[in-house]
Amino acid sequence: MFEGHDPYLVALSVAIASLGGYTGFALAARIRNTPGVSNRVLLAGAAVFFAVGIWTMHFVGMLAAPLPPDTVYLVLPTIISFLICALVVGISLFFVSIGEPSLKRVASSAVLLGVGIASMHYVGIHGLAGPFGIAHDRTMVLLSVLVAVVTAYGGLRAFLAQQEGVRLIVSSIAFGIAVSGMHYTAMLGMHFEPLTAAGHHHPGSGLAASQQILSIVVAVLCFVIAAGFLLSLVPDRRQAQTSPAADPVLPPVAPAEPVVAAGTSPRPVGPLGGLGLPPRAPAPRLPVEGADGTHFIDTANVRSVRADAHYTLVHDGTRERMCPWSISEAEAQLDPSLFLRVHRSHIVAIPHVALVRKEGDGAVLELDGPSPHLVPVSRAKIAEVKARLGLANRRHA
């Protein structure tokens, strides 16, 4: 497959595809938690970085290949290949980033992403011009598309996993394998055939670029991808403000002196979304996903809400069920007189608090129900929790 290829450029092509995938997935990971125009900007940015990664990997791979002499690249098919790729990849990201990531939705997105990668390659190959013809082995064409779809599915599945840092690395590596695997599998099934003088295709009929010009364009795009990759490593300031370092994830509960909060009543407070904003009507029910579709449970039955990647897990006193809302959206939708965000990853229903105890620098709440469960309270939220439970004048947690 790699016979005659420059090994350094081959390695660079795989690295470029992985970096582009990492940047695209990093942007896509923020789509669900950003409303309105910002959501669309992030989706467009992710699609562009994916398309640039695919396009740049393809042409770095072409520079690494032993092409016939006097080969030039027609500009129009080259640009069209990029636009098609960006459009198809954008639709794929839209499907996987919006709504419940069901098997059907992820599989459809993987097929679209694989088709986008394949379309980039074969339309780009059509832009090659010179004293030769190009023939493709149909079996290898199908195999290359299959490689792109299967590895794209693996990348999307890794992207939807819970581990934030690991999932981006694994999904970007899978994306790099999808793009480069498809490219080099297709190159294995491609053959150059010499043409007679009568059948010679003259590139003068359209705008063409030499390999030297293409090398400059590819080098610039490599810098763009590298810059985007480095920027994706910078933490989001807004997320850092809502998730302070002072909110530790508490270890498992150790025995401690319990203090039972009995007969307390919730005190109305301002909207959870922030001071000065007009209160919004709280949601009476929360959507939760089941095997047969979306169900709705009354907020009166909700004990706690826990962040889980782009989604949340709602505890109804018996078990946790997945909710398509993010933790921020749940905070904005729930009644602030009944619910309180006690940790960057946890919201609790104050009327269902059965026990509170101090633990380390923070505290732990036990919520009632058929299956009582514990929720950590960050150090910064202890005073507010004490006030809501009527313990402000007591020396206990």
Side-chain angles (χ1 to χ4, degrees):
M1 184 182 297
F2 298 103
E3 183 179 359
H5 283 69
D6 186 326
Y8 297 104
L9 289 179
V10 170
L12 177 62
S13 67
V14 178
I16 286 297
S18 298
L19 290 180
Y22 185 96
T23 308
F25 279 125
L27 291 174
R30 301 178 182 180
I31 289 176
R32 181 173 293 276
N33 295 326
T34 53
V37 177
S38 298
N39 189 311
R40 294 189 287 271
V41 171
L42 286 174
L43 178 63
V48 168
F49 268 102
F50 273 119
V52 169
I54 296 172
W55 192 95
T56 307
M57 180 276 141
H58 172 82
F59 283 100
V60 171
M62 295 306 297
L63 292 175
L67 299 180
D70 301 327
T71 299
V72 295
Y73 297 85
L74 299 179
V75 174
L76 183 59
T78 300
I79 295 177
I80 291 176
S81 67
F82 175 81
L83 296 177
I84 293 176
C85 180
L87 178 62
V88 175
V89 172
I91 296 174
S92 173
L93 284 179
F94 177 79
F95 282 153
V96 79
S97 299
I98 306 298
E100 163 65 15
S102 61
L103 176 62
K104 181 178 179 181
R105 183 183 294 271
V106 177
S108 302
S109 300
V111 170
L112 283 174
L113 186 55
V115 169
I117 296 171
S119 65
M120 165 71 250
H121 176 87
Y122 286 106
V123 175
I125 288 295
H126 182 70
L128 291 177
F132 52 80
I134 299 177
H136 298 280
D137 186 332
R138 292 185 178 180
T139 302
M140 298 307 295
V141 170
L142 294 177
L143 179 60
S144 65
V145 176
L146 181 62
V147 168
V149 172
V150 171
T151 50
Y153 179 83
L156 292 176
R157 274 300 177 193
F159 169 68
L160 295 172
Q162 296 182 8
Q163 294 82 6
E164 183 72 20
V166 175
R167 72 188 178 101
L168 288 179
I169 295 175
V170 174
S171 58
S172 62
I173 292 175
F175 178 79
I177 295 174
V179 179
S180 56
M182 181 274 150
H183 173 86
Y184 291 111
T185 302
M187 291 296 289
L188 182 62
M190 188 182 75
H191 309 283
F192 294 101
E193 299 176 347
L195 297 179
T196 62
H200 191 291
H201 176 68
H202 295 280
S205 57
L207 185 62
S210 65
Q211 294 197 40
Q212 289 76 15
I213 295 178
L214 182 68
S215 300
I216 296 175
V217 174
V218 167
V220 171
L221 291 179
C222 286
F223 280 109
V224 171
I225 293 176
F229 170 73
L230 293 176
L231 288 175
S232 67
L233 299 179
V234 178
D236 189 352
R237 177 176 293 272
R238 292 173 301 176
Q239 185 177 8
Q241 290 175 348
T242 58
S243 303
D247 289 356
V249 178
L250 298 180
V253 178
E257 179 183 357
V259 178
V260 178
T264 60
S265 59
R267 299 183 180 181
V269 296
L272 286 171
L275 296 175
L277 295 177
R280 57 189 301 177
R285 300 186 299 171
L286 271 71
V288 292
E289 302 297 338
D292 55 346
T294 302
H295 300 264
F296 295 88
I297 60 176
D298 293 335
T299 55
N301 298 324
V302 174
R303 266 62 174 180
S304 66
V305 180
R306 176 168 66 90
D308 183 30
H310 299 305
Y311 313 101
T312 50
L313 296 175
V314 176
H315 203 296
D316 59 2
T318 303
R319 61 190 176 100
E320 285 187 325
R321 307 170 70 179
M322 197 193 79
C323 174
W325 292 350
S326 66
I327 188 71
S328 298
E329 186 176 0
E331 183 183 19
Q333 295 281 0
L334 293 171
D335 188 347
S337 66
L338 301 176
F339 293 88
L340 176 66
R341 189 165 182 173
V342 298
H343 188 276
R344 62 182 176 184
S345 301
H346 295 274
I347 298 173
V348 299
I350 295 297
H352 290 287
V353 175
L355 179 146
V356 56
R357 66 179 170 220
K358 185 175 178 61
E359 181 170 306
D361 292 334
V364 171
L365 300 177
E366 181 178 306
L367 301 174
D368 62 14
S371 299
H373 65 288
L374 303 175
V375 174
V377 179
S378 67
R379 181 176 57 193
K381 289 289 185 176
I382 291 179
E384 187 173 0
V385 170
K386 289 168 63 178
R388 295 290 296 272
L389 295 174
L391 304 176
N393 297 324
R394 300 176 63 176
R395 301 182 60 84
H396 300 289

